[in-house]
Amino acid sequence: MMNQPEWRLSGGMVPYPEALAVMEARVADIRAGRAGELIWLLEHPALYTAGTSAKAQDLLEPTRFPVHATGRGGQYTYHGPGQRVVYVMLDLRARRQDVRRFVSDLEEWTIRTLSRFAVTAERRTGRVGVWVGRPDKPRLAGGQPREDKIAAIGVRIRHWVSFHGLSINVEPDLSHYAGIVPCGISGHGVTSLVDLGLPVTLADLDAALAATFDEVFGRQLAVKPSAAV
């Protein structure tokens, strides 16, 4: 049986290039058997990232924040203070070698985590990520109910070791999303736990992530803060 993944909690804002370097090194070590799996909880300073499917026209304000090209799947997204970024470095060789199932499991983990705060979050066909209904907001032009995205998911798999992961909005500045078309999806908006009227902290969310991880991935884990990388 594999050892439990390490959980790392970094304080402060972790620069994006530094995070990429750490993930690249850890993925190589996991593949080579030099290190175990890692769940890394952190915040980034305000920035935009471009996934492998990003379209130039979806970067509406290219000079607003730094823009980082990244090898994860997906399109443009935003990271910044008040958002919990969760980088998930798991060895899928010892789990399920199924990329679609892995993405679905990340969504399920997020949904179960948010349910701890009485948030009904859901998947939507054709829209990767996790969404919440907003009956308190006007319907879209075509009459469809308004939904807001609360969590984004973008992963990369190298030799069946995962990296990148997900981000959940706790209390970011939602106006920062105006510089992009988030994940290439127009019409629907973005939200956060605090925007939904829930006084949740990053620490609250971290505890819920740890409590629900085992329900999806079959591990009993606890968040153990370690020194910032």
Side-chain angles (χ1 to χ4, degrees), residues 12-17 42-49 65-66 68 78-81 83 85 176:
M13 299 293 139
V14 178
Y16 195 76
L42 57 96
E43 287 178 278
H44 285 307
L47 56 90
Y48 298 129
T49 63
F65 297 122
H68 298 272
Y78 166 77
H79 294 311
Q83 181 193 75
V85 175
H176 290 176

Side-chain angles (χ1 to χ4, degrees), residues 157-195:
I157 310 293
R158 179 181 295 158
H159 303 293
W160 291 110
V161 179
S162 71
F163 56 126
H164 298 279
L166 58 98
S167 59
I168 302 174
N169 289 339
V170 178
E171 192 178 7
D173 185 337
L174 295 178
S175 71
H176 290 176
Y177 281 92
I180 57 173
V181 178
C183 302
I185 298 170
S186 300
H188 297 287
V190 290
T191 190
S192 69
L193 286 164
V194 171
D195 182 55

